[in-house]
Amino acid sequence: MTIQKNDSDPLGPIVLTHTSSGANATIYPFGATVTSYKTCSGRELLFVSRTAKLDGSKAIRGGIPLVFPQFGRPDQSMPQHGFLRCNLWKVESTYEEGDDACSCVDLSLSLKDVVAARGGEWDVGTERDCTVTLTVKVYPSSFTTTMTVVNSGGVAFPYQALFHTYYAISGQSALNGEVCNVKGLAGYEYLDQLTAKS
């Protein structure tokens, strides 16, 4: 396991590399956003806009932004997609699991540490309280992301949470429904933001 992180730069990226395979992931503590995953053959699977800001001035456009407690803006008093992607997360630990099985990092954000993008029922002074943890694991031929929400307050709350993943699609493949598509949504309600069809 190789972990690269500049401890003097809290906004700097963390690079997890699976030692024997070379597969690696890059995670920015601002927004706990995974901005890159390269396979052992060096193929990049995530897309990040060339205009993305990586300096903590705004949410990173691309990679895997985290969404919580709302998707979009159903509560107009809160910013779009909530506050996870707009705040600096704490690196809890970096570690290896198994005998070179995977390289891992845990990052967390507690509501008390959220300084940007609050509003509505989640504004300062709320009775709600929680801690969200993101775990990223890099294996020889894959990676996983796990988001855990722990209600540490005295009241229950509804929320929406998701990984808003931007995949790297080569050339015109994004326009080809045979190559680029989403499966497994039969029986679920959904809204296609491009076509406005559900």
Side-chain angles (χ1 to χ4, degrees), residues 132-144:
V132 181
T133 302
L134 174 70
T135 300
V136 179
K137 297 183 178 185
V138 177
Y139 296 90
S141 59
S142 65
F143 79 110
T144 62

Side-chain angles (χ1 to χ4, degrees), residues 30-79:
F30 185 80
T33 305
V34 180
T35 58
S36 173
Y37 171 72
K38 291 183 181 172
T39 65
C40 58
S41 65
R43 180 175 171 225
E44 177 61 64
L45 298 184
L46 299 176
F47 168 80
V48 175
S49 170
R50 65 178 164 264
T51 63
K53 302 291 184 196
L54 303 176
D55 60 2
S57 61
K58 62 189 292 185
I60 296 171
R61 186 168 179 234
I64 310 178
L66 304 177
V67 174
F68 175 93
Q70 70 176 3
F71 178 65
R73 207 160 171 212
D75 178 349
Q76 293 292 312
S77 64
M78 176 181 281

Side-chain angles (χ1 to χ4, degrees), residues 31 66-70 78-87 89 109-111 114 116-119 122 130 132:
L66 304 177
V67 174
F68 175 93
Q70 70 176 3
M78 176 181 281
Q80 178 170 302
H81 300 331
F83 50 78
L84 295 187
R85 63 196 191 113
C86 301
N87 284 277
W89 288 51
L109 181 66
S110 294
L111 186 59
V114 171
R118 292 180 73 155
W122 294 89
C130 66
V132 181

Side-chain angles (χ1 to χ4, degrees), residues 59-131:
I60 296 171
R61 186 168 179 234
I64 310 178
L66 304 177
V67 174
F68 175 93
Q70 70 176 3
F71 178 65
R73 207 160 171 212
D75 178 349
Q76 293 292 312
S77 64
M78 176 181 281
Q80 178 170 302
H81 300 331
F83 50 78
L84 295 187
R85 63 196 191 113
C86 301
N87 284 277
L88 185 60
W89 288 51
K90 178 181 176 187
V91 177
E92 295 291 345
S93 59
T94 55
Y95 54 97
E96 186 173 296
E97 281 188 352
D99 186 24
D100 196 35
C102 69
S103 301
C104 317
V105 64
D106 294 328
L107 298 102
S108 71
L109 181 66
S110 294
L111 186 59
K112 66 179 175 50
D113 297 324
V114 171
V115 296
R118 292 180 73 155
E121 295 290 325
W122 294 89
D123 214 343
V124 176
T126 184
E127 290 184 21
R128 296 177 179 185
D129 196 11
C130 66
T131 298

